[in-house]
């Protein structure tokens, strides 16, 4: 079936007990058994819950995967994925990642014997050079948060597989509506469902989707053993959000393109990072690999003072971390989402004091442009 049909129906058959068209919130911690060893497939709610199972089936289908697992946050999903590795294993990761992913790798997982090399994964020779005999995983964010670098997923998968590595892709910025990494050869797809999948800024969650049954069995084991599961109400919120993912993404994309063009033509804006602009260095790859460009934009105002002026002056755009909701959020990566990245790395990546990030919502775009215009006009 088509994407929207799947989004609305997969995993969401009418409730067998009542006919309820919406999957109920099974707010329970356990399930009564008829006799020892005889039950309806559910024993304990950490192990499985029907509301979570519905979401997991739905997300697996939308990403074109066979198995999905939902976690209590995007970070919990990434952490669970990393526990597929063992002490001594090495990971090559994109040099620009969400700051929290970098922090998990550098300040938590290193203490458990994993090691990391960061490479510009949009340049495959750089990835090739970073691979070591102990490398097990290539970990890619594309587009990256916040400077929107694009990695060629099919080429990265070919390289990873030729060296015996798994490829994991954080698909949070695109959602499966615009990009389907498993179909391009990735082994694992990650989401912070907090963002576009939920879409309404009212829940934190994460997911991992994959095809390989042995890896899936291990991940399911880890999900239950470590226990960072998504609760039934939060699962239900994501299920509800996903029903409108396609229409929301189309509007995020339309608004994103309009605002990126507005910013690119604005005299107070030095540089715009958006893969939908023909000036983006990987615009052609983005057109091939993605079905849209989405609503994430970063732009350079020239100084911390200028960025502060814009962030202080906006009235409709809300100054806040996070992204992917229906309302427009504006943020300052250097001091907010990427504060845990060392300053010299931030400067090298373009995460300067003057960089501002927008998660373009689905409001009327004229209102958003008018708001940004009046805020930019205050830059001296
Ligand atoms: O916040 P959480 O649900 O734990 O997801 C972490 C995460 C993972 N991957 C990407 C690409 C992300 O952007 C995030 C979270 N990002 C923000 C909170 C932010 O404002 O960028």
């Amino acid at each position: 079936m088509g994407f929207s049909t799947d989004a609305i129906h997969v995993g969401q058959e009418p409730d067998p007990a009542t006919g309820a068209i919406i999957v109920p919130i099974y707010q329970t911690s356990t399930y009564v058994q008829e006799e020892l060893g005889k039950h309806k497939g559910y024993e304990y709610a950490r192990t499985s819950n029907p509301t979570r199972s519905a979401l997991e089936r739905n997300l697996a289908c939308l990403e074109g995967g066979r198995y999905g697992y939902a976690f209590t946050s995007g970070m919990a999903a990434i952490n669970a994925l990393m526990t597929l590795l063992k002490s001594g294993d090495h990971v090559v990761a994109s040099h620009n990642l969400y700051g929290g992913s970098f922090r998990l790798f550098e300040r938590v997982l290193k203490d458990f014997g994993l090691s990391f090399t960061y490479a510009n994964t949009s340049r495959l020779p750089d990835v090739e050079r970073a691979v070591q005999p102990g490398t097990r995983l290539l970990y890619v964010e594309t587009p990256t948060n916040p400077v929107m670098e694009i990695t060629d997923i099919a080429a990265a998968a070919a390289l990873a597989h030729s060296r015996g590595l798994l490829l994991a892709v954080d698909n949070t910025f695109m959602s499966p509506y615009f990009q389907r990494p498993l179909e391009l050869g990735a082994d694992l797809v990650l989401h912070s469902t907090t963002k576009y999948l939920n879409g309404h800024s009212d829940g934190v969650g994460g997911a991992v989707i994959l095809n390989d049954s042995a890896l899936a069995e291990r991940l399911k084991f880890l999900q239950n053993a470590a226990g960072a599961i998504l609760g039934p109400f939060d699962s239900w919120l994501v299920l509800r959000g996903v029903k409108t993912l396609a229409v929301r993404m189309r509007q995020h994309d339309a608004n994103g393109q309009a605002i990126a063009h507005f910013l690119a033509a604005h005299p107070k804006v030095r540089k715009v990072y958006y893969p939908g602009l023909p000036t983006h260095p990987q615009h052609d790859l983005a057109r091939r690999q993605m079905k849209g460009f989405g609503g994430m934009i970063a732009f350079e105002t020239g100084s911390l003072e200028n960025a502060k002026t814009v962030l202080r002056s906006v009235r409709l755009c809300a100054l806040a971390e996070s992204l992917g909701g229906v309302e427009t959020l504006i943020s300052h990566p250097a001091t907010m989402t990427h504060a845990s990245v060392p300053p010299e790395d931030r400067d090298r990546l373009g995460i300067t004091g003057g960089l501002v990030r927008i998660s373009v919502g689905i409001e009327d775009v004229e209102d958003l442009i008018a708001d940004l215009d009046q805020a930019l006009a205050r830059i001296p």
Side-chain angles (χ1 to χ4, degrees), residues 86-166:
K86 292 202 162 50
S87 173
D89 287 349
H90 175 255
V91 178
V92 176
S94 300
H95 65 169
N96 174 209
L97 295 171
Y98 165 57
S101 306
F102 177 78
R103 179 177 57 193
L104 174 70
F105 297 170
E106 287 300 298
R107 295 181 52 193
V108 180
L109 297 178
K110 267 189 168 174
D111 291 344
F112 290 84
L114 294 183
S115 59
F116 296 86
T117 300
Y118 301 92
N120 181 349
T121 52
S122 60
R123 294 205 299 247
L124 288 178
D126 289 18
V127 176
E128 187 99 54
R129 265 196 301 282
V131 175
Q132 303 174 4
T135 310
R136 294 285 172 266
L137 177 70
L138 175 57
Y139 183 95
V140 166
E141 214 175 88
T142 182
T144 62
N145 180 353
V147 296
M148 307 301 288
E149 288 178 349
I150 313 274
T151 293
D152 184 334
I153 298 173
L159 167 62
H161 297 156
S162 76
R163 306 292 295 264
L165 323 180
L166 294 169

Side-chain angles (χ1 to χ4, degrees), residues 51-63:
T51 318
R52 192 176 88 226
S53 303
L55 175 66
E56 292 175 337
R57 281 173 55 203
N58 187 273
L59 295 183
C61 171
L62 296 185
E63 280 289 2

Side-chain angles (χ1 to χ4, degrees), residues 73-75 98 141 145 170 172 192 194-195 205 322-323 337 357:
S73 65
M75 291 318 306
Y98 165 57
E141 214 175 88
N145 180 353
D170 185 332
T172 298
S192 165
T194 317
K195 318 304 182 200
S322 202
L323 59 111
T337 50
R357 190 188 78 178

